[in-house]
Amino acid sequence: QFPLGRRLPCDIYWHGVSFHDNNIFSGQVNKFPGMMETVRKITLSRAMRTMKNLFPVEYNFYPQSWILPEELSLFVEEVRTMKDSDPSWKPTFIVKPDGGCQGDGIYLIKDPGDIRLTGSIQSRPAVVQEYICKPLLMDKLKFDIRLYVLLKSLEPLEIYIAKDGLSRFCTEPYQEPTLKNLHQVFMHLTNYSLNIHSGNFIHSDSVNTGSKRTFSSILCRLSSRGADVKKLWSDIISLVIKTIIALTPELKVYYQSDIPAGKPGPTCFQILGFDILLMKNLKPMLLEVNANPSMRIEHEQELSPGVFENVPSPVDEEVKVAVIRDTLRLVDPQKKKRKDTHLSFHTYLLIFPTQFQSLLVGIAGMKDKQHKHHSLKLSLKLKFYLKLGSCQALEQAREGSQEVPEAALPSLCLKQVFPKYAGEFSHLRLVDRVAALFIRFLGVKGTTRLGPTGFRTFIRNCRLSNSNFSMAAVDILYIDITRRWNSVGIEKESGMCLQAFVEAFFCLARRKYKSLPLHEQVLALIEVCECRLAALRRRRLVWGCG
Ligand code: ADP
């Protein structure tokens, strides 16, 4: 911590909340610019809707959502149409304020007319979502899963998933929603921060009982019931990859704005918290993505009314320590320099003092004698430094080039899923390519909005206007779409945001390739644009040479 400000550059910057710091020119930061904005409930719902429009089957893991207040009448109308076509459909909806967390302000409704318009919905936008009425229960209780995902790099895309996560339980037996039980938060909302206040909350020292358990303990129970947990994992991996694919276009726009290409800057990584609900049929559904998941390894216990004490939570420790440890292992700058898989002695000493025993056990099990000898010598030094515990000793350790062999560390809990499974998902990365076109025409570095001239240049360079689509029509398209997006956006900036550009692009694609399904229309237009821009670049090179 640098209470008085930082002077020297660091290898790794571990920020508490967001990326923002204008003085970082190297190293790695544990936050991406714009991540908080990108995963807000409304922005996430919009990104998921864009992907659902392109790939309805692939993106059916996100509950149908509407944005309030702007889509209130659309919501009312669509629900009425669905009810008319299927009178047996008795839905429930969950209303969640944008930017809210820990269950704050959430309520359930049976009828769209019950949206609470009193209490200025205008000033507090929200998402209303289809409520998943048939969740998988365990011990008659609803629970959700918190999984930790490391976005190690945006370009090229690198994603890791933690092999274990947390399961957070409700504290009242679940019943399907009725008008009578809609308000019972301990039955319907799995938030730890809410359920901890229930008299039924069970703190447990075991990772497979109580109101917070490891996800692996749930998988064990499911497996013993004969469930196909392999398929469940593979569905969860798909959900995570597809969600990140939906988020990357927006993230890339923020990234180039804060860290312009060609200028010195840091690279970024980030640990994200994915909240997932399993349906009765074991289908995982995404609830939300947290940019700043809690990494606390203790919980509050109420000793007497209103008096709380922090006590260690073995479940949190088991899952979260491994996530942070492995994130540091994966982004370890020393690793890059040495190009081998050793973690620096200093790093080891700082993050694993309590795991010293497992290091010794690891060394005892080593087969390679020379390696074992080296490691034993090292472990003795470690013991010495740990006993001494002085800064001087740490410094000495750092200056010497002692290293702890990776083989002696616990195996990685973070599993790489992308690019490992890239082949199965690359066809979904269409909006990424649209975002690349958008970024290319932004012009001024540091901006996230496209001006009218940039949009005109895009149309002209890609040769998209013709006698049926004049430049005047291009201007009208720009003004119409931009004005609408700017009236609903949170930021009151001028210019065309990425989402507006994507809408304009889809509109152009529909106009040009009328008979194809939307994703084919968009792909065809992307290919035309990329091809024409490449040809233009070639021509300019030739002119340049001439
Ligand atoms: P918050 O950020 O306030 O925690 P969430 O979106 O995570 O908001 O919702 C809070 C809780 O509400 C979730 O943990 C889950 O138990 C429940 N929940 C949210 N969305 C749904 C849904 N569509 N269907 C069923 N339960 C939901």
Side-chain angles (χ1 to χ4, degrees), residues 461-475:
N461 288 5
C462 295
R463 290 194 279 127
L464 299 182
S465 72
N466 51 37
S467 52
N468 289 331
F469 185 51
S470 66
M471 283 316 273
V474 169
D475 289 341

Side-chain angles (χ1 to χ4, degrees), residues 115-185:
I115 296 239
R116 292 178 201 160
L117 284 167
T118 51
S120 74
I121 194 159
Q122 292 292 348
S123 61
R124 200 162 190 203
V127 164
V128 56
Q129 204 168 66
E130 194 175 347
Y131 185 74
I132 298 155
C133 293
K134 293 187 192 300
L136 179 74
L137 304 182
M138 198 141 279
D139 304 330
K140 301 200 172 101
L141 300 169
K142 174 174 170 177
F143 66 96
D144 76 351
I145 308 160
R146 157 60 58 86
L147 273 189
Y148 296 93
V149 170
L150 170 68
L151 179 56
K152 186 168 175 280
S153 151
L154 195 55
E155 191 75 75
L157 188 57
E158 272 184 72
I159 309 170
Y160 289 75
I161 302 184
K163 286 183 193 156
D164 205 353
L166 298 170
S167 306
R168 297 153 319 173
F169 280 69
C170 277
T171 41
E172 293 279 346
Y174 183 78
Q175 286 165 14
E176 284 195 29
T178 60
L179 281 175
K180 275 197 181 150
N181 70 30
L182 280 187
H183 60 281
Q184 295 194 26
V185 287

